[in-house]
Amino acid sequence: MTSAPLRLKVQKVARGSTEKASALPVALVWVDTGVSHLDYAYDYLVPLSLDAQVIAGVKVAVNFSGRTVDGYVLSRTDSSELSNLKFIEKVLSPIPLLTSELTSLVRAVAQRWGSSPLDILSSAIPSRVIAVEKTLQPSPPQTQRQGSKSHTQSFYLVTPGEDAIALMADWILARSALGGVLVIAPEAREVLLLAQELEFRAVDFLILDASLTRSERYSNYLKVASGESKIVIGSRSAVFAPVHHLKTIIVYREGAQSHYEVRTPGWNTRDVALLRSQIGRVDLTFVGYAPSSETSYLLGKREIVLKGRSVKVDVQSYPAHNGELLPDRIFGPIRKALEKGSVLFLVSRKGYSSALMCKSCKNIAICDCGGRISFQGSTKGYSCSLCEKKGSHWSCRWCKRDQPILLGRGSQRFAHEIGRAFPGFPVVTSDASTPVDSVIDQRSIILATSGMAPRLPSGYQAVVILEGDSLFSQIDLRAQERARESILHFSSLISSDGKVLVVIDSSHPIVATIARWNLTAINNRELMEREQTQLPPVVSAIIIEMVHGDRQTFIAGIRKAVDDGRIPHATRILGPKKISDESSRVILTVPHEDAQSLVDFLVTYRKKRSLAKKANLSMRVDPYALS
């Protein structure tokens, strides 16, 4: 049997459109090139077949250097200075999501953080879901009304007796009569609490946060863009939400680390909200229990107004002279408080014990993989912090003894010790792993980590701040503000006749701060220290990470640029510091008024390196932490 000869199959491929639109045939497109030195807008021809669909704000597919990439149409014009322009290949989404307001904000954020506009848009606009678009009718783009001629920027200090969630719900109701309202909270849990409060008041709103599925988030985003709801609540990326006729932005706990974008370039909600407030002339209110150091700096310069009630708080301090958990004199006030109601304890760590030390040889317990071993309690046993290997028994890998000393007490161990000290009362622990929203028993002992305290309608009879010194003694620059916010947040939960009991020396300024509910003195003291050391927030900081081999060349280049006057003479270099086997970190600080010129210089420097095909430098402007 003879096999038939093989034949090549001929496929006809449709050629791209060669006829351009008759009116405004050129589109300016932000192109996602994926290359740092080519992050510009480019001209493309509009095919006649796509003339009606290619409008400002839609997402399109274009050919860039032989690759099909995404882009957003910025505008259409009559002509281009360039010749041999390529045609737009396809309209990916007919819905114009890139509004003129969002374009202005993205430009400002990209410049401020030395980034590509497309990197910012990846955070601002959720991932497209085609199935969702098919179920929604695209709405025509609405003209955004201009904001007020003047706008306000303030920080509202929550005081004892005030429920921040209910307070924001009241503001939303009042401000929604004027126009759109956008509320951003750091955690999905807080977004949910606000959503429940608004549902209870029968308020129409939409949520934009990471707890939603991709379809739900994109669907809600399209509804916001079409003006279906003028009230939007969400987490970090919601700060870019295209709320129609936006009049009010509220940011809850603006200093929380969750407000900082994890991915490069590392923008944060507070500063983006400030930019949006200024660009759109929108009223902005930060709500919290203690301002971040950056906000304290702006308050000191009177660029932000401080608001809130004047109150006095009954606070008592109890120094722990020998490292004890509860000093002797504190037992009496706690017992009296438990006779009337519940007592809340602030603990700095979750878990039982964060580390072990051998009683015999004094070595820290290490797993075979190199990770530290922690104790999770009698029921959960021992666990490695790296490989998560678990076991019910431990013995020292050096001397083989099996008598560990528990180090770094956590909430579970505190619960065990405090439960024994005050028998007969239910003990409840609440942390990020096991959050508790409400407490049924009216006379309970509640131990909670920062931000995880359940709220009682009548308030706590006493709030106890454990290990006050350790809260302030962490090594990073944010330790002071984190401690202040945690302590004042918990202290705000006391009842009208409740007390705040702090395990700390009476001379510590936090005691007077709680008593007067006034942070001016303690904030000014920290800002004065930062002024003397020229560290953020008094100056702007930029972290550069690079391979070891580039660090000396980079530092020499920065010094020469300073000598030549190409970057500010006040630029200071900290480092280099080795952060891994391959990478080093250099920190540059500069006065705020000179920060943008240094950022622009570094952006140009990175583009030149990219053109020369050198290793990329990672850059983060004003990050949450410098270490």
Side-chain angles (χ1 to χ4, degrees), residues 23-64:
L24 304 178
V26 178
L28 183 63
V29 181
W30 259 345
V31 181
D32 189 5
T33 65
V35 183
S36 62
H37 64 271
L38 297 175
D39 57 345
Y40 305 105
Y42 295 88
D43 288 341
Y44 283 86
L45 290 175
V46 179
L48 181 61
S49 60
L50 299 178
D51 187 17
Q53 300 177 52
V54 178
I55 60 176
V58 299
K59 191 174 187 178
V60 296
V62 297
N63 184 293
F64 187 88

Side-chain angles (χ1 to χ4, degrees), residues 154-316:
S154 59
F155 181 93
Y156 186 89
L157 182 63
V158 180
T159 53
E162 289 184 315
D163 182 341
I165 301 297
L167 191 67
M168 288 190 287
D170 290 339
W171 292 350
I172 290 170
L173 279 171
R175 296 289 302 185
S176 60
L178 305 176
V181 180
L182 173 61
V183 185
I184 305 104
E187 306 291 346
R189 175 175 173 267
E190 293 159 335
V191 175
L192 177 61
L193 289 173
L194 181 56
Q196 291 170 345
E197 186 72 27
L198 292 175
E199 286 173 352
F200 177 75
R201 300 171 188 231
V203 177
D204 178 47
F205 66 94
L206 286 171
I207 295 178
L208 288 175
D209 75 2
S211 67
L212 304 176
T213 65
R214 284 184 66 228
S215 296
E216 290 172 336
R217 190 170 187 182
Y218 191 59
S219 175
N220 282 4
Y221 190 89
L222 295 183
K223 291 175 182 177
V224 173
S226 67
E228 185 171 316
S229 177
K230 61 182 178 181
I231 298 172
V232 176
I233 64 174
S235 51
R236 192 169 59 224
S237 292
V239 72
F240 295 99
V243 182
H244 283 207
H245 315 314
L246 182 63
K247 292 291 184 180
T248 307
I249 300 174
I250 300 170
V251 181
Y252 182 50
R253 298 203 303 115
E254 45 82 28
Q257 187 171 0
S258 298
H259 276 305
Y260 282 72
E261 174 60 42
V262 177
R263 298 171 297 178
T264 301
W267 53 266
N268 67 77
T269 305
R270 176 190 57 251
D271 290 342
V272 174
L274 285 166
L275 283 172
R276 188 167 188 180
S277 171
Q278 292 159 6
I279 293 170
R281 300 193 294 277
V282 176
D283 291 337
L284 169 63
T285 301
F286 298 115
V287 183
Y289 307 91
S292 65
S293 56
E294 288 86 355
T295 300
S296 297
Y297 180 73
L298 295 176
L299 286 167
K301 294 178 66 179
R302 300 185 186 280
E303 294 183 17
I304 292 180
V305 178
L306 180 63
K307 295 183 178 181
R309 300 185 308 168
S310 177
V311 296
K312 298 291 184 182
V313 177
D314 187 353
V315 57
Q316 298 170 11

Side-chain angles (χ1 to χ4, degrees), residues 417-436:
E417 295 180 7
I418 292 172
R420 286 190 303 175
F422 302 98
F425 298 97
V427 179
V428 179
T429 60
S430 178
D431 55 37
S433 303
T434 55
V436 176

Side-chain angles (χ1 to χ4, degrees), residues 300-413:
K301 294 178 66 179
R302 300 185 186 280
E303 294 183 17
I304 292 180
V305 178
L306 180 63
K307 295 183 178 181
R309 300 185 308 168
S310 177
V311 296
K312 298 291 184 182
V313 177
D314 187 353
V315 57
Q316 298 170 11
S317 63
Y318 300 87
H321 297 294
N322 300 308
E324 62 272 27
L325 179 62
L326 293 173
D328 288 340
R329 292 191 303 111
I330 204 173
F331 282 82
I334 293 176
R335 289 194 182 98
K336 287 183 180 179
L338 284 169
E339 292 174 2
K340 299 179 181 179
S342 296
V343 174
L344 173 66
F345 291 79
L346 168 61
V347 297
S348 56
R349 292 173 298 275
K350 65 179 183 178
Y352 196 91
S353 175
S354 59
L356 307 176
M357 183 174 70
C358 179
K359 185 176 181 179
S360 177
C361 67
K362 308 302 182 186
N363 278 305
I364 299 296
I366 301 293
C367 177
D368 293 335
C369 74
R372 287 198 173 189
I373 295 175
S374 62
F375 184 58
Q376 304 299 316
S378 57
T379 58
K380 295 184 179 180
Y382 302 90
S383 174
C384 173
S385 60
L386 287 183
C387 68
E388 297 188 353
K389 181 179 178 181
K390 302 183 187 304
S392 58
H393 177 76
W394 172 86
S395 62
C396 179
R397 61 184 304 189
W398 284 279
C399 70
K400 309 305 179 186
R401 302 286 179 89
D402 60 356
Q403 291 182 298
I405 297 175
L406 304 182
L407 305 175
R409 292 175 291 197
S411 57
Q412 293 178 23
R413 187 179 177 193

Side-chain angles (χ1 to χ4, degrees), residues 296-609:
S296 297
Y297 180 73
L298 295 176
L299 286 167
K301 294 178 66 179
R302 300 185 186 280
E303 294 183 17
I304 292 180
V305 178
L306 180 63
K307 295 183 178 181
R309 300 185 308 168
S310 177
V311 296
K312 298 291 184 182
V313 177
D314 187 353
V315 57
Q316 298 170 11
S317 63
Y318 300 87
H321 297 294
N322 300 308
E324 62 272 27
L325 179 62
L326 293 173
D328 288 340
R329 292 191 303 111
I330 204 173
F331 282 82
I334 293 176
R335 289 194 182 98
K336 287 183 180 179
L338 284 169
E339 292 174 2
K340 299 179 181 179
S342 296
V343 174
L344 173 66
F345 291 79
L346 168 61
V347 297
S348 56
R349 292 173 298 275
K350 65 179 183 178
Y352 196 91
S353 175
S354 59
L356 307 176
M357 183 174 70
C358 179
K359 185 176 181 179
S360 177
C361 67
K362 308 302 182 186
N363 278 305
I364 299 296
I366 301 293
C367 177
D368 293 335
C369 74
R372 287 198 173 189
I373 295 175
S374 62
F375 184 58
Q376 304 299 316
S378 57
T379 58
K380 295 184 179 180
Y382 302 90
S383 174
C384 173
S385 60
L386 287 183
C387 68
E388 297 188 353
K389 181 179 178 181
K390 302 183 187 304
S392 58
H393 177 76
W394 172 86
S395 62
C396 179
R397 61 184 304 189
W398 284 279
C399 70
K400 309 305 179 186
R401 302 286 179 89
D402 60 356
Q403 291 182 298
I405 297 175
L406 304 182
L407 305 175
R409 292 175 291 197
S411 57
Q412 293 178 23
R413 187 179 177 193
F414 285 146
H416 180 68
E417 295 180 7
I418 292 172
R420 286 190 303 175
F422 302 98
F425 298 97
V427 179
V428 179
T429 60
S430 178
D431 55 37
S433 303
T434 55
V436 176
D437 294 325
S438 61
V439 179
I440 299 175
D441 199 300
Q442 295 302 307
R443 295 173 62 205
S444 302
I445 294 172
I446 295 93
L447 290 90
T449 53
S450 180
M452 302 307 298
R455 176 174 284 276
L456 295 184
S458 58
Y460 291 93
Q461 285 299 312
V463 169
V464 183
I465 311 299
L466 297 173
E467 299 184 317
D469 285 321
S470 69
L471 289 172
F472 287 96
S473 62
Q474 297 177 38
I475 61 172
D476 66 292
L477 288 177
R478 298 281 181 182
Q480 301 291 317
E481 67 180 68
R482 277 200 307 270
R484 287 195 299 269
E485 200 219 17
S486 294
I487 290 172
L488 267 77
H489 187 181
F490 272 58
S491 300
S492 72
L493 301 177
I494 59 172
S495 62
S496 57
D497 59 344
K499 300 178 184 292
V500 178
L501 314 176
V502 191
V503 181
I504 203 168
D505 192 271
S506 59
S507 63
H508 197 287
I510 192 62
V511 179
T513 297
I514 299 171
R516 300 169 189 162
W517 210 259
N518 188 325
L519 292 106
T520 303
I522 196 170
N523 285 347
N524 288 345
R525 174 178 171 177
E526 183 179 32
L527 290 174
M528 190 180 299
E529 293 173 354
R530 301 292 177 85
E531 184 74 47
Q532 294 169 351
T533 57
Q534 284 297 288
L535 289 172
V538 175
V539 296
S540 187
I542 303 171
I543 289 181
I544 307 290
E545 294 184 3
M546 67 202 78
V547 296
H548 292 317
D550 289 341
R551 57 186 180 179
Q552 296 305 331
T553 304
F554 173 77
I555 291 173
I558 292 295
R559 286 175 177 158
K560 188 174 188 308
V562 171
D563 293 340
D564 295 344
R566 289 178 288 145
I567 60 176
H569 286 283
T571 302
R572 188 165 64 133
I573 303 171
L574 303 176
K577 177 184 178 182
K578 182 178 178 181
I579 57 174
S580 70
D581 292 338
E582 298 83 22
S583 302
S584 289
R585 173 185 294 150
V586 174
I587 300 173
L588 304 178
T589 66
V590 65
H592 290 296
E593 60 270 20
D594 297 324
Q596 194 58 59
S597 62
L598 179 57
V599 170
D600 293 343
F601 172 85
L602 291 170
V603 169
T604 302
Y605 178 78
R606 294 172 71 202
K607 287 182 177 180
K608 289 181 178 178
R609 286 181 61 89

